[in-house]
Amino acid sequence: MEVITVKSTAKAQLIDITEEVARKVKGVESGVCFLYVPHTTAGIIINEGADPAVAQDILDLYQRLVPYDYPYRHLEGNSPAHVKASFTGPGLSVLIENGRLMLGTWQRIFLAEYDGPRTRKVYLKVLEG
Amino acid sequence: MEVITVKSTAKAQLIDITEEVARKVKGVESGVCFLYVPHTTAGIIINEGADPAVAQDILDLYQRLVPYDYPYRHLEGNSPAHVKASFTGPGLSVLIENGRLMLGTWQRIFLAEYDGPRTRKVYLKVLEG
Amino acid sequence: MEVITVKSTAKAQLIDITEEVARKVKGVESGVCFLYVPHTTAGIIINEGADPAVAQDILDLYQRLVPYDYPYRHLEGNSPAHVKASFTGPGLSVLIENGRLMLGTWQRIFLAEYDGPRTRKVYLKVLEG
């Protein structure tokens, strides 16, 4: 298992980690790459990375759906981040074929930060096959 | 790795691909089947397929939550599709046991189209074990 | 493949199954643990378990987003549960390293019940590697 460390700089942020993931799976000819964040207010999203406005639109809509101002029961003030993380999920798997991640043309892998700024970890494991 | 090609015929649509998936994993006794769409405005959903009204209700609610008419920053006009795809995620895994996909009685596998009509690809890979 | 049986006692509920999962993967040194619910109105969520208020906030927000009272087409009355299950997804994978589930400090694994009370199954399979 490998670990990628990511520092977020804003409260809500999508941080492109595609290059770090690609580097870690170098040398694997064929298999599945598992990404997993051991956090409850962050997650992994794969979506368009060419236009940064897409990431902003995603975060904007999430904030509209899960408002900061709401009578949450959890008293630490980060319930919206927990709810968003529950939507996103802690992990994803990406196929590896012919020695490369089988991402689509427009797909990038993002750490989704919902309660930053913080230092986050992404676990990465490959099963070959 | 195998590829399933799917043609959507509407802007938003759930297309049942269960039979195609079952055909591709034929002969596998035990393992995990990974499904992955290399697109940023589509995804994979597993839900009820017996009554097509369920798929319609899912798509209706998504459209209510992520409206077409909203001041999105991304100028291509398909931001709602990106947001929906970020909720759905690009992939899923289904267990295989005794030579068959371990889907529940009411579960069907759908390509979730959010920006159609288009021709879409679903990657499929099996790890046996 | 192993099966964990869970009885829910409320309409919407997050039920902590972390200990059952940990027991089933005992003896596995390294690999990936796949969890999968064969249901269309339930799912698997990993989130904070220390304060039960987090689970309540998650379920509250889901209910706010996917109201019980809405002109759904599906006539069985459980469309909100199908929609929530489509957000959550039927499964998740957790890494295993050094003989233990690589959950974060605050992460717990929950069966997410959206149409209870019912008896639910969680399939569990490990691929070692």
Side-chain angles (χ1 to χ4, degrees):
Chain A
M1 199 187 81
E2 306 252 12
V3 181
I4 296 169
T5 300
V6 185
K7 281 177 206 256
S8 62
T9 56
K11 188 167 184 79
Q13 191 177 13
L14 297 193
I15 301 169
D16 190 329
I17 59 168
T18 315
E19 294 311 316
E20 286 89 333
V21 174
R23 253 197 308 276
K24 297 283 190 194
V25 304
K26 223 174 171 175
V28 178
E29 188 54 27
S30 174
V32 179
C33 170
F34 298 90
L35 300 171
Y36 185 88
V37 293
H39 307 292
T40 57
T41 53
I44 300 285
I45 284 180
I46 291 181
N47 212 287
E48 182 184 319
D51 178 4
V54 172
Q56 288 180 300
D57 284 340
I58 289 172
L59 293 173
D60 270 11
L61 247 289
Y62 286 17
Q63 187 173 330
R64 183 175 183 265
L65 295 175
V66 188
Y68 288 124
D69 185 19
Y70 184 77
Y72 296 105
R73 288 192 188 85
H74 181 54
L75 298 177
E76 291 177 23
N78 62 354
S79 263
H82 285 294
V83 177
K84 291 172 190 172
S86 78
F87 276 127
T88 303
L92 273 180
S93 43
V94 183
L95 308 187
I96 302 170
E97 201 75 11
N98 300 320
R100 62 181 198 84
L101 291 168
M102 294 300 289
L103 295 170
T105 313
W106 304 104
Q107 286 184 325
R108 305 290 289 181
I109 306 169
F110 297 95
L111 173 94
E113 170 65 80
Y114 300 126
D115 192 30
R118 290 190 193 221
T119 300
R120 301 295 198 173
K121 282 177 189 167
V122 180
Y123 297 158
L124 182 156
K125 191 180 184 74
V126 173
L127 293 181
E128 299 193 45
Chain B
M1 198 187 81
E2 306 251 13
V3 181
I4 295 169
T5 301
V6 186
K7 281 177 205 257
S8 62
T9 57
K11 189 167 183 80
Q13 192 177 14
L14 297 192
I15 301 169
D16 190 328
I17 60 168
T18 315
E19 295 312 316
E20 287 89 332
V21 174
R23 252 196 310 276
K24 297 283 190 194
V25 303
K26 224 174 170 175
V28 178
E29 188 54 28
S30 174
V32 179
C33 170
F34 298 90
L35 300 170
Y36 185 89
V37 293
H39 307 291
T40 56
T41 54
I44 300 285
I45 283 180
I46 291 181
N47 212 287
E48 182 184 319
D51 178 3
V54 172
Q56 289 180 302
D57 284 340
I58 289 172
L59 293 173
D60 270 11
L61 246 288
Y62 285 17
Q63 187 173 331
R64 184 177 183 264
L65 295 174
V66 188
Y68 288 123
D69 185 19
Y70 183 77
Y72 296 104
R73 287 193 188 84
H74 181 54
L75 298 177
E76 290 177 24
N78 62 353
S79 263
H82 286 294
V83 176
K84 291 172 189 172
S86 77
F87 277 128
T88 303
L92 274 179
S93 43
V94 183
L95 308 187
I96 301 170
E97 202 75 11
N98 299 319
R100 62 180 199 85
L101 290 169
M102 294 301 288
L103 294 170
T105 312
W106 304 104
Q107 287 184 325
R108 304 289 289 181
I109 306 168
F110 297 96
L111 174 94
E113 171 65 80
Y114 300 127
D115 192 31
R118 289 190 195 220
T119 300
R120 301 295 199 172
K121 283 178 188 166
V122 180
Y123 297 159
L124 182 156
K125 192 181 184 74
V126 173
L127 294 181
E128 299 194 45
Chain C
M1 198 187 81
E2 307 251 12
V3 181
I4 295 170
T5 300
V6 185
K7 281 178 206 257
S8 61
T9 57
K11 189 167 183 77
Q13 192 177 14
L14 296 193
I15 301 169
D16 191 329
I17 60 169
T18 314
E19 293 312 316
E20 287 89 332
V21 174
R23 254 197 309 277
K24 297 284 189 192
V25 303
K26 223 174 170 174
V28 178
E29 187 55 27
S30 173
V32 180
C33 171
F34 298 90
L35 300 170
Y36 185 89
V37 294
H39 306 292
T40 57
T41 54
I44 299 284
I45 284 180
I46 292 181
N47 213 286
E48 182 183 319
D51 178 4
V54 172
Q56 289 180 301
D57 284 340
I58 289 172
L59 293 173
D60 270 12
L61 246 289
Y62 285 18
Q63 186 173 330
R64 182 177 184 265
L65 295 175
V66 188
Y68 288 123
D69 185 20
Y70 184 76
Y72 296 105
R73 287 192 187 85
H74 181 53
L75 299 177
E76 292 177 22
N78 62 354
S79 263
H82 285 294
V83 176
K84 290 172 189 171
S86 77
F87 277 128
T88 302
L92 273 180
S93 43
V94 183
L95 308 187
I96 301 170
E97 200 76 12
N98 300 318
R100 62 180 200 84
L101 290 167
M102 294 301 289
L103 295 170
T105 312
W106 305 104
Q107 286 184 325
R108 304 290 290 180
I109 305 169
F110 298 95
L111 173 92
E113 171 66 81
Y114 299 126
D115 192 31
R118 290 191 193 219
T119 300
R120 301 295 199 172
K121 284 178 188 165
V122 181
Y123 297 158
L124 182 155
K125 191 180 185 73
V126 172
L127 293 181
E128 299 193 47

